[in-house]
Amino acid sequence: SQQGEEDPQALSIQEGENATMNCSYKTSINNLQWYRQNSGRGLVHLILIRSNEREKHSGRLRVTLDTSKKSSSLLITASRAADTASYFCASVFGNEKLTFGTGTRLTIIP
Amino acid sequence: DADVTQTPRNRITKTGKRIMLECSQTKGHDRMYWYRQDPGLGLRLIYYSFDVKDINKGEISDGYSVSRQAQAKFSLSLESAIPNQTALYFCATSDSLAGETQYFGPGTRLLVL
């Protein structure tokens, strides 16, 4: 399987705290994307970082990319109950197929 | 209205039956994808199509077939369903001219008895 790994598999934090999720992938990439999935529903795109970028911000999201380690991290600051979801990284190489990681299930405790 | 729709949303079938899952999109995207999701394994690509006449196998195509009847429609068939095809199935689209972001349908939950 070419799937990447995400760490941790599950994370529970108090509302207002920051949440950090990590992703490792296996091949060289054009870009890496993060998606959110609310329970049993379709995935929603959050942010994309290209292979020549090291950090990117979007609202309360911060993504970093280390191509030498084939890893990325997603930081959600000042978490809210609505952030409770599963988060997936997806790496893109070549003809733009996405290869998804196994996901991190995030629970925000009010 | 949703941009990417899937029918049915839930389906229960028996081993050996042929079933079809349908995906329609109003986004005008040229690329469409079918994924399955199993607990703990994330999403895995079954088939993808970059245009109406283009069909490509993904990571786990055995036991599945697809048809791209029009730019807006992409159907997934299970020729002879088996219990280990029980999963959540997602259709997705993307626009080759606008970047690599994919847009997902709401999913079809399939149970094969």
Side-chain angles (χ1 to χ4, degrees):
Chain A
S1 171
Q2 293 300 307
Q3 282 200 308
E5 297 289 328
E6 295 193 50
D7 171 54
Q9 290 187 349
L11 177 64
S12 293
I13 60 173
Q14 295 289 331
E15 191 169 18
E17 295 181 340
N18 296 341
T20 300
M21 290 158 267
N22 302 296
C23 164
S24 62
Y25 55 91
K26 297 184 178 181
T27 66
S28 299
I29 61 171
N30 296 341
N31 66 71
L32 187 135
Q33 303 177 34
W34 285 87
Y35 288 79
R36 183 186 72 229
Q37 182 183 33
N38 290 92
S39 180
R41 304 180 74 172
L43 279 71
V44 175
H45 180 261
L46 295 175
I47 193 167
L48 180 154
I49 186 166
R50 300 198 179 279
S51 60
N52 61 353
E53 298 175 309
R54 291 296 168 258
E55 186 170 313
K56 199 164 185 179
H57 297 253
S58 176
R60 293 184 296 113
L61 306 180
R62 189 188 83 163
V63 171
T64 61
L65 180 65
D66 187 335
T67 53
S68 67
K69 296 181 179 179
K70 291 186 170 61
S71 66
S72 175
S73 67
L74 172 68
L75 168 68
I76 303 174
T77 60
S79 63
R80 304 168 182 170
D83 295 329
T84 293
S86 292
Y87 292 82
F88 294 89
C89 67
S91 56
V92 179
F93 174 73
N95 63 358
E96 302 174 6
K97 294 182 296 178
L98 298 182
T99 299
F100 283 88
T102 51
T104 293
R105 189 171 62 253
L106 175 65
T107 302
I108 308 300
I109 303 166
Chain B
D1 289 339
D3 294 320
V4 184
T5 57
Q6 292 183 232
T7 56
R9 294 294 312 280
N10 295 279
R11 178 75 183 267
I12 300 173
T13 192
K14 295 182 178 180
T15 297
K17 294 291 188 180
R18 182 181 188 275
I19 67 163
M20 179 182 290
L21 309 182
E22 304 204 27
C23 176
S24 294
Q25 53 118 346
T26 59
K27 300 185 75 66
H29 289 173
D30 52 341
R31 299 183 172 188
M32 298 186 74
Y33 310 81
W34 275 105
Y35 295 90
R36 68 176 276 176
Q37 184 177 30
D38 299 275
L41 292 180
L43 275 73
R44 292 181 291 168
L45 184 62
I46 305 172
Y47 271 97
Y48 62 102
S49 169
F50 284 174
D51 200 350
V52 174
K53 296 181 179 178
D54 177 70
I55 299 292
N56 303 281
K57 292 183 177 180
E59 183 185 352
I60 53 164
S61 59
D62 288 349
Y64 301 95
S65 63
V66 291
S67 173
R68 183 86 185 266
Q69 305 97 317
Q71 188 183 48
K73 296 185 183 295
F74 193 34
S75 301
L76 176 71
S77 294
L78 285 67
E79 299 301 326
S80 180
I82 56 176
N84 78 359
Q85 291 178 312
T86 292
L88 190 53
Y89 289 85
F90 289 102
C91 173
T93 73
S94 68
D95 183 347
S96 61
L97 298 179
E100 302 90 338
T101 299
Q102 291 190 11
Y103 298 84
F104 284 79
T108 294
R109 193 171 297 277
L110 175 65
L111 173 62
V112 183
L113 300 174

